[in-house]
């Protein structure tokens, strides 16, 4: 896609999502419960996308590759091995902030 205001409908209808490893893209896809392959851009300096992809892979939630290994990843993937992404717990973060600012 070049640009869309929202990918919500596309994500809802998808059987598999292949995306860059941006945090928003990853989290939105995983929160929808869709299997995800993240394709990292290994030419980026200070590659935070690689760090996120590796951590989500260690957690068992995604497969990751780069452009040159995407075809092999698609051929060898086992999507049944992926674990569901755990739901967020915003109340924990809110409680933390309350403590930091002395509101609790």
């Amino acid at each position: 896609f070049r640009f869309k205001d929202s990918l919500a409908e596309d994500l809802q209808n998808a059987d598999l999502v292949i995306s860059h490893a941006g945090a928003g893209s990853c989290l939105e896809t995983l929160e929808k419960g869709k299997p995800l392959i993240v394709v990292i851009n290994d030419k980026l300096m200070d590659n935070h996308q690689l760090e996120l992809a590796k951590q989500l892979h260690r957690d068992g939630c995604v497969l990751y590759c780069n452009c040159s290994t995407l075809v092999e990843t698609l051929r060898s993937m086992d999507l049944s091995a992926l674990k569901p992404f755990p739901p967020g717990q915003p109340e924990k973060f809110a409680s933390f902030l309350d403590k930091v600012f002395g509101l609790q």
Side-chain angles (χ1 to χ4, degrees):
F1 300 105
R2 285 190 166 278
F3 175 79
K4 284 184 135 182
D5 288 332
S6 173
L7 294 175
E9 185 178 339
D10 299 294
L11 288 174
Q12 191 63 38
N13 295 323
D15 294 319
L16 171 67
V17 176
I18 301 172
S19 174
H20 75 136
S25 299
C26 290
L27 294 177
E28 187 175 2
T29 301
L30 292 171
E31 287 170 351
K32 297 268 191 243
K34 300 298 179 170
L36 175 61
I37 298 175
V38 290
V39 181
I40 55 130
N41 180 349
D42 48 10
K43 292 182 171 75
L44 292 175
M45 292 183 65
D46 188 28
N47 199 342
H48 62 281
Q49 287 193 9
L50 177 59
E51 293 172 19
L52 177 61
K54 282 184 175 182
Q55 185 59 55
L56 290 172
H57 179 74
R58 278 192 294 269
D59 293 344
C61 299
V62 305
L63 300 174
Y64 80 96
C65 61
N66 57 35
C67 288
S68 64
T69 59
L70 176 58
V71 171
E72 181 56 36
T73 300
L74 289 167
R75 285 187 182 134
S76 65
M77 68 184 180
D78 178 8
L79 298 178
S80 68
L82 294 177
K83 298 177 185 173
F85 187 69
Q89 298 177 322
E91 63 281 353
K92 286 187 174 183
F93 183 65
S95 176
F96 169 77
L97 287 179
D98 285 347
K99 288 178 187 172
V100 167
F101 290 107
L103 301 173
Q104 235 180 16

